[in-house]
Amino acid sequence: MLLLFVCLFLGVLVARFAKPPVGIVAGINWWVINVALPALVLDLIPGVKFDPQLWFPVAAMVLTFGGAWLLFGLLGPRLGWSRQRTGALILVCGLGNTSFMGYPLMQALHGQPGLTLAVVADQLGAFPLLASAGILVASVHAGRKPEPALILRRILTFPAFVALVVGIVAGQCGGWPELLHGVFAPIGVTLTPLALFSVGLQFRFRPSDRQLGAVGWGLAWKLLLAPLLCWAMGVASGVGGLVLTVGVLQAAMAPMVSAAILADEYELEPALANTVLGAGIVLSLLTVPLGNLWLG
């Protein structure tokens, strides 16, 4: 946990005082997404043993996004929100930071088994939702026409998704030789410090009075109501142990950085999206460990 805080706040300090080179965030994110994350997936997925309860972490991601879509779709017209504001909240509060923050936090709280389950939730739940339903929501609320071919191409060519498929095949064939494990593991380890450092570099929190109500509704859903609903779904379905804990905690993660970028790309009130992102990152560093204690 100390490593997480140090890397995050080091990023904040560097962004504020050290004048980092232009493009450093894009460069770090490129490495994390295209190299470190696929290496981590390739290292962990072949060792995953089939468990009938593995549906739960994925379903928790779907419930979190679907619930946000329903909640803010109903609240928006009643509270006088614009379509852009409603779309921004659905994106950033329906999709969690299940990789950049989820992986390090789950590894810190539950070791390698927790990290492996976090990968399942992220790669089979959060990422496909971002690349499909997320783009659909962004397009509709920005007044654009969704492009199914583009959505499918984003999913099928995403490096970590390709690594996921390769890792599953490798697992069915008995796993990687120790030589390859010695390559994938050290590269994958770079994800935690670099991802949190990148989040710190991008941290912004400048709320205006007209944003506070929307920020409150968004974070109440993302950090409290969504994980409680996921916990209720898991308990009612007989899911328990580490699968239940990681699924609920991944649902409770801070808003997704990529979702805020998507909101910016589609001009869905980027200032609000980044405010919710910044506040969610700080609060989740408290709420996720507290949730872990509560879950036992």
Side-chain angles (χ1 to χ4, degrees):
M1 290 296 292
L2 179 61
L3 174 66
L4 306 189
F5 283 103
V6 169
C7 291
L8 180 65
F9 288 109
L10 182 61
V12 173
L13 292 174
V14 167
R16 184 171 179 83
F17 299 111
K19 295 182 180 179
V22 175
I24 186 174
V25 170
I28 291 174
N29 289 351
W30 188 93
W31 171 270
V32 169
I33 291 171
N34 294 287
V35 180
L37 181 54
L40 185 67
V41 172
L42 285 171
D43 185 44
L44 294 179
I45 289 299
V48 174
K49 299 295 185 286
F50 176 75
D51 186 329
Q53 294 188 347
L54 284 180
W55 65 270
F56 175 71
V58 178
M61 303 299 99
V62 175
L63 176 59
T64 302
F65 186 83
W69 198 342
L70 177 63
L71 175 64
F72 299 125
L74 293 173
L75 275 179
R78 289 165 174 76
L79 296 177
W81 293 347
S82 65
R83 290 178 63 187
Q84 289 79 10
R85 171 164 289 195
T86 301
L89 285 176
I90 293 171
L91 286 175
V92 296
C93 299
L95 294 163
N97 205 329
T98 51
S99 56
F100 275 36
M101 294 193 71
Y103 290 1
L105 278 169
M106 290 305 96
Q107 186 173 25
L109 293 171
H110 295 289
Q112 200 77 350
L115 175 59
T116 302
L117 290 172
V119 170
V120 172
D122 179 61
Q123 289 301 304
L124 295 181
F127 164 69
L129 282 170
L130 170 69
S132 55
I135 293 176
L136 176 63
V137 165
S139 300
V140 168
H141 286 81
R144 303 185 194 179
K145 183 180 179 181
E147 300 179 39
L150 175 63
I151 292 172
L152 184 62
R153 186 165 66 250
R154 280 196 177 191
I155 295 174
L156 295 180
T157 60
F158 186 64
F161 183 79
V162 175
L164 176 70
V165 175
V166 173
I168 291 173
V169 173
Q172 295 300 310
C173 297
W176 302 113
E178 190 62 29
L179 181 65
L180 285 179
H181 171 70
V183 173
F184 295 143
I187 296 175
V189 164
T190 64
L191 183 142
T192 293
L194 288 178
L196 269 294
F197 181 68
S198 174
V199 169
L201 286 172
Q202 300 170 79
F203 179 77
R204 301 289 185 276
F205 183 59
R206 298 180 183 133
S208 64
D209 291 342
R210 58 183 294 271
Q211 292 177 347
L212 289 178
V215 171
W217 276 108
L219 293 179
W221 167 256
K222 187 70 195 75
L223 302 181
L224 180 62
L225 297 177
L228 282 175
L229 282 176
C230 291
W231 172 80
M233 176 180 70
V235 171
S237 304
V239 178
L242 192 58
V243 175
L244 176 67
T245 299
V246 172
V248 172
L249 294 180
Q250 283 286 63
M253 284 297 156
M256 182 188 283
V257 174
S258 299
I261 294 172
L262 189 63
D264 190 14
E265 180 183 339
Y266 281 78
E267 299 178 352
L268 301 177
E269 203 165 336
L272 172 66
N274 283 294
T275 297
V276 174
L277 176 66
I281 288 171
V282 172
L283 290 174
S284 68
L285 290 173
L286 175 66
T287 57
V288 169
L290 287 176
N292 183 68
L293 287 174
W294 176 69
L295 288 165

